Amino acid sequence: MAPTVSTTQFSDPAEVTEFVVNQGNGVKGLSETGIKALPDQYIQPFEERLINKFVNETDEAIPVIDMSNPDESKVAKAICDAAEKWGFFQVINHGVPLAVLDNVKAATHRFFNLPVEEKSKYTKEKSLSTNVRFGTSFSPRAEKALEWKDYLSLFFVSETEASQFWPDVCKNEALEYMNKSKTMVRKLLEYLGKNLNVKELDETKESLFMGSIRVNLNYYPICPNPDLTVGVGRHSDVSSLTILLQDQIGGLHVRSLASGNWVHVPPVPRSFVINIGDAMQILSNGRYKSVEHRVLANGSNNRISVPIFVNPKPESVIGPLPEVIANGEEPIYRDVVYSDYVRYFFKKAHDGKKTVDFAKI
């Protein structure tokens, strides 16, 4: 049931916040009231609105890599090159079954189509676990302008914890997606590691690169005046790697390191979009790049995406890997406790690439 609210209810910004954030309707609920104008607190600063106008002005494209190529050294080289030059690439024939992808996309729609009373059981205030959170925007308390997105964030602790606390309508699908993509993730980390003189992904390295995992279900509802706001503001991820499953709608843009242009990442059926996160940039001493990206709001379609954030363990100390600075390379980052780094990221609004400066020497 769409919320039955007259548009006039939102004369006051505080009412919008109350409805969207506190009552748990999210921007999906706001969109479904049929509002014709974007509420003021979603209007982004001039620079962001300017980017919206110029995002499609380039013919650059991020690499698409076929992981089934029998020449594995070619695949590894393509991946490492993309990680250095773009920080982003797409992979096809990655070995994760299509059914798994379709199921988790369907489960995402199922969750967001639940009645508000059901979804709001998972808000920060009500959730029975700190590892499960239904929310909206990025960090509503820190932001000057809100982002047009709702999400369910699922931090994996154990199968037992997940089956107890993750929402029934999506838990099996999210777990299966996470588990079935692990082989591919290991493969990617192995390729990236070898190129940094990391001989093998042993237990220590595995805990450093992929010691914790978070799956987000993202929902970007139809937006009035999409050119005035964003689905997600400019940021780079704090992960080691992000694995993104997107639907066929599109809207993700990546900043080209070569030109500074914003490059659309077109939906490729059955693919994943992979990007390097800040943790990997730090571990590789800047060789692999964690690149700014953003998501447009859409005036005619609802969009979903399902990222898996592959992260160091919260208590890991991350800094340039010994293997990387062994050859006398100067470290450009200091050692930081990963959880401190993440806390710093979430305490402010999206601000492009500024988080990584926290770890600069």
Side-chain angles (χ1 to χ4, degrees), residues 87-120:
F88 263 83
F89 52 95
Q90 301 199 63
V91 292
I92 54 172
N93 300 321
H94 42 64
V96 184
L98 180 58
V100 173
L101 311 188
D102 288 341
N103 290 345
V104 78
K105 285 194 275 196
T108 300
H109 282 287
R110 267 202 308 280
F111 175 79
F112 287 101
N113 286 331
L114 288 172
V116 173
E117 306 74 67
E118 280 302 303
K119 286 185 290 200
S120 59

Side-chain angles (χ1 to χ4, degrees), residues 5-277:
V5 181
S6 73
T7 323
T8 54
Q9 184 189 330
F10 300 127
S11 48
D12 170 11
E15 287 170 355
V16 177
T17 306
E18 173 60 25
F19 179 79
V20 174
V21 181
N22 304 341
Q23 291 172 18
N25 288 288
V27 278
K28 182 175 189 283
L30 190 55
S31 173
E32 287 167 358
T33 65
I35 54 161
K36 295 285 181 278
L38 187 75
D40 286 356
Q41 59 261 66
Y42 287 92
I43 299 176
Q44 292 288 321
F46 176 71
E47 316 78 271
E48 296 306 315
R49 301 194 314 256
L50 198 61
I51 295 173
N52 288 347
K53 292 205 176 4
F54 293 104
V55 285
N56 293 322
E57 306 278 300
T58 176
D59 49 9
E60 295 166 276
I62 72 165
V64 178
I65 299 167
D66 184 345
M67 288 185 77
S68 68
N69 185 329
D71 185 348
E72 215 182 343
S73 65
K74 266 217 172 81
V75 178
K77 184 180 188 312
I79 285 168
C80 295
D81 282 352
E84 292 181 23
K85 297 191 180 72
W86 277 97
F88 263 83
F89 52 95
Q90 301 199 63
V91 292
I92 54 172
N93 300 321
H94 42 64
V96 184
L98 180 58
V100 173
L101 311 188
D102 288 341
N103 290 345
V104 78
K105 285 194 275 196
T108 300
H109 282 287
R110 267 202 308 280
F111 175 79
F112 287 101
N113 286 331
L114 288 172
V116 173
E117 306 74 67
E118 280 302 303
K119 286 185 290 200
S120 59
K121 286 179 184 165
Y122 302 100
T123 56
K124 186 181 183 182
E125 293 68 40
K126 298 188 187 154
S127 184
L128 298 171
S129 163
T130 52
N131 300 315
V132 177
R133 179 177 304 175
F134 167 59
T136 189
S137 192
F138 171 66
S139 189
R141 285 157 191 75
E143 290 163 313
K144 293 191 288 290
L146 298 177
E147 301 177 350
W148 198 259
K149 171 186 118 169
D150 298 331
Y151 65 87
L152 175 70
S153 186
L154 304 165
F155 182 77
F156 180 77
V157 178
S158 69
E159 297 272 344
T160 321
E161 204 266 357
S163 67
Q164 191 180 346
F165 294 111
W166 291 13
D168 285 340
V169 291
C170 58
K171 69 178 171 201
N172 295 343
E173 294 79 4
L175 281 169
E176 191 188 29
Y177 169 49
M178 193 186 82
N179 289 325
K180 288 276 198 285
S181 62
K182 278 224 168 97
T183 310
M184 174 192 71
V185 168
R186 273 199 192 89
K187 198 92 239 166
L188 293 170
L189 289 171
E190 225 167 81
Y191 293 151
L192 292 166
K194 278 217 173 75
N195 188 43
L196 300 172
N197 300 320
V198 173
K199 298 287 174 271
E200 57 158 349
L201 206 56
D202 58 18
E203 261 177 62
T204 318
K205 285 292 189 287
E206 190 157 307
S207 138
L208 188 57
F209 285 126
M210 53 185 294
S212 69
I213 303 229
R214 181 184 295 280
V215 181
N216 276 15
L217 313 186
N218 292 331
Y219 194 92
Y220 302 92
I222 293 172
C223 181
N225 319 112
D227 46 328
L228 298 182
T229 190
V230 288
V232 180
R234 289 187 293 135
H235 69 288
S236 62
D237 296 348
V238 289
S239 56
S240 319
L241 274 186
T242 303
I243 312 300
L244 179 82
L245 173 63
Q246 60 169 342
D247 64 13
Q248 68 303 333
I249 304 299
L252 169 64
H253 289 82
V254 170
R255 192 173 207 153
S256 161
L257 287 167
S259 67
N261 291 328
W262 288 94
V263 179
H264 187 230
V265 180
V268 172
R270 302 184 292 285
S271 72
F272 287 119
V273 179
I274 312 287
N275 66 281
I276 300 296

Side-chain angles (χ1 to χ4, degrees), residues 230-332:
V230 288
V232 180
R234 289 187 293 135
H235 69 288
S236 62
D237 296 348
V238 289
S239 56
S240 319
L241 274 186
T242 303
I243 312 300
L244 179 82
L245 173 63
Q246 60 169 342
D247 64 13
Q248 68 303 333
I249 304 299
L252 169 64
H253 289 82
V254 170
R255 192 173 207 153
S256 161
L257 287 167
S259 67
N261 291 328
W262 288 94
V263 179
H264 187 230
V265 180
V268 172
R270 302 184 292 285
S271 72
F272 287 119
V273 179
I274 312 287
N275 66 281
I276 300 296
D278 293 353
M280 181 67 79
Q281 178 169 320
I282 292 166
L283 290 161
S284 71
N285 203 31
R287 181 182 299 188
Y288 299 142
K289 310 294 194 297
S290 169
V291 163
E292 272 186 278
H293 49 288
R294 69 202 295 277
V295 175
L296 292 179
N298 189 305
S300 39
N301 293 101
N302 300 312
R303 173 177 182 266
I304 59 159
S305 71
V306 195
I308 297 175
F309 299 101
V310 178
N311 306 313
K313 268 201 170 48
E315 63 275 19
S316 292
V317 172
I318 60 166
L321 291 163
E323 290 87 342
V324 175
I325 49 179
N327 57 8
E329 194 177 301
E330 268 308 303
I332 55 176

